[in-house]
Amino acid sequence: MNLRGAQAARFFAKPDPGTAGALIYGADAMRVSLRRQELIAALAGPDAEAEMRLTRMSGAEAKSDPASVTDAVKAVGFFPGPRVVLVDGVTELQAQPVLAALSDWAVGDAALVVTAGALKKTSKLRKAFESHPSAVAVGLYDDPMSAEEVAAAIAAEGIDVTPEGRRGIEALAATLDPGDFRQVLTKIALYAGEEEVGPEAVRLMAPATLEAGADEVIAAAADGRAAAIGPLMTRLAGQGVTPVTLVIQATRHFQQLHMAAVSGGVGALRPPVYGARRDAMERQVRDWGARRLEAALALLMETDLTLRSSSRAPAMAVMERALIKLSMMGRG
């Protein structure tokens, strides 16, 4: 089944417990990541990972061990409760283990959550999830958040907001990425406390754009300029950019590079890329190649998992080390 709009939002908030799986795909890695987190929490609960009811793997790991996805879906958990198998960042070339697991799924198996970049209508992954009687496919695009999504986000933060304040929040939702919007909404909730949120609170918490600085450090990693990464990371940390935001944006960039490498170049990307950014991406695709880009995505997924885990390692240092590793891989 193919879900869109409000129907998709309702599914993410309250999925059918008998769902075989869900494919979440789109060019914006931040949107995909947020929906992935929301769906896993709704399917298996907030303690799924601690209770070992969540199995994570990348598309590259699934491809290297084709039986691993089916084995994970069929496995019997030590703790009672619903289980989820997440296969993150799957490409068409890595789809076969996922398709086999979905085909073999039976009632009582773990739910299969799969994420991917932008997929064409002819995609094998899309066709499999759309045609499966118990699975869904959800495409996420760069459209502004709907009024229903904004209202749900406000309710989740427990914010009491005036009509003017709500209009200000809706304006932020129309201009910010979903991840940045949720961070700002959390800041507004903390700032307001028990008080009603008006337009002044929204104005004070609205961020200055930090996108350019994040793009700069990611470009340094993709271009192999390791020496530039440390100073850029120091500046971004001072501006309040989080490591999770950086890893999501880096994943988005390298997913685009990989898509270009396997689908005929940067010109095949949708939405299209123009100007100096296109020239830089074309050079990076030539320098990296599909195989090393797959390794880069695997490294970024490992970093993402570390940042979201209970690890005590300094998060910004973990992210900086990953970017330096990427810069070395690009030169390798």
Side-chain angles (χ1 to χ4, degrees):
M1 184 185 302
N2 186 29
L3 300 183
R4 296 184 180 184
Q7 191 178 19
R10 287 192 293 271
F11 170 78
F12 286 124
K14 193 175 181 180
D16 185 335
T19 297
L23 168 66
I24 309 171
Y25 64 93
D28 191 328
M30 174 72 81
R31 293 174 188 266
V32 172
S33 176
L34 288 171
R35 287 304 197 185
R36 174 196 72 189
Q37 294 175 54
E38 182 182 356
L39 179 59
I40 291 174
L43 283 169
D47 299 323
E49 188 157 19
E51 295 179 354
M52 295 181 287
R53 292 184 288 107
L54 172 62
T55 302
R56 299 175 182 261
M57 67 184 77
S58 66
E61 289 170 334
K63 182 183 178 183
S64 66
D65 184 3
S68 59
V69 184
T70 300
D71 289 346
V73 167
K74 297 289 184 183
V76 177
F78 181 79
F79 289 93
R83 296 178 298 110
V84 172
V85 175
L86 168 65
V87 190
D88 210 16
V90 179
T91 68
E92 285 294 291
L93 297 177
Q94 301 163 346
Q96 193 52 46
V98 171
L99 300 180
L102 183 63
S103 177
D104 290 343
W105 185 88
V107 175
D109 289 347
L112 180 61
V113 176
V114 179
T115 67
L119 298 175
K120 298 178 181 179
K121 289 184 178 179
T122 56
S123 159
K124 294 178 291 186
L125 278 168
R126 282 185 60 175
K127 287 183 176 180
F129 278 83
E130 289 173 355
S131 62
H132 194 282
S134 302
V136 302
V138 183
L140 303 179
Y141 304 98
D142 293 337
D143 301 324
M145 293 176 69
S146 67
E148 185 178 22
E149 289 174 320
V150 173
I154 291 172
E157 292 291 346
I159 298 174
D160 183 17
V161 60
T162 67
E164 295 80 7
R166 181 178 292 272
R167 284 195 287 273
I169 291 174
E170 289 172 348
L172 282 178
T175 57
L176 296 176
D177 284 344
D180 293 335
F181 171 72
R182 289 178 184 272
Q183 289 182 6
V184 172
L185 206 57
T186 299
K187 286 172 61 179
I188 291 172
L190 292 171
Y191 173 82
E194 300 296 324
E195 297 181 4
E196 193 174 40
V197 172
E200 182 63 16
V202 176
R203 186 188 67 78
L204 288 172
M205 295 298 105
T209 179
L210 303 174
E211 185 84 17
D215 284 349
E216 193 176 350
V217 74
I218 293 166
D223 289 337
R225 294 182 284 115
I229 291 173
L232 287 170
M233 290 292 288
T234 300
R235 191 180 79 193
L236 289 172
Q239 291 174 327
V241 179
T242 68
V244 171
T245 295
L246 285 175
V247 77
I248 289 173
Q249 291 188 11
T251 301
R252 180 193 309 167
H253 182 75
F254 278 86
Q255 282 176 339
Q256 287 185 308
L257 294 181
H258 185 264
M259 182 71 68
V262 301
S263 62
V266 177
L269 294 177
R270 293 294 181 271
V273 180
Y274 299 105
R277 185 165 180 262
R278 175 170 177 155
D279 295 339
M281 290 183 69
E282 286 177 340
R283 183 183 67 252
Q284 290 163 5
V285 169
R286 288 195 303 270
D287 291 346
W288 280 81
R291 188 177 296 275
R292 277 194 290 169
L293 287 168
E294 284 190 9
L297 287 170
L299 171 61
L300 286 168
M301 182 186 177
E302 180 183 347
T303 304
D304 191 357
L305 295 178
T306 300
L307 292 174
R308 297 175 193 274
S309 72
S310 57
S311 170
R312 294 189 176 184
M316 213 60 171
V318 169
M319 188 65 223
E320 181 176 344
R321 182 177 63 182
L323 290 172
I324 291 172
K325 282 184 178 180
L326 285 174
S327 71
M328 299 298 183
M329 291 167 62
R331 294 193 311 208

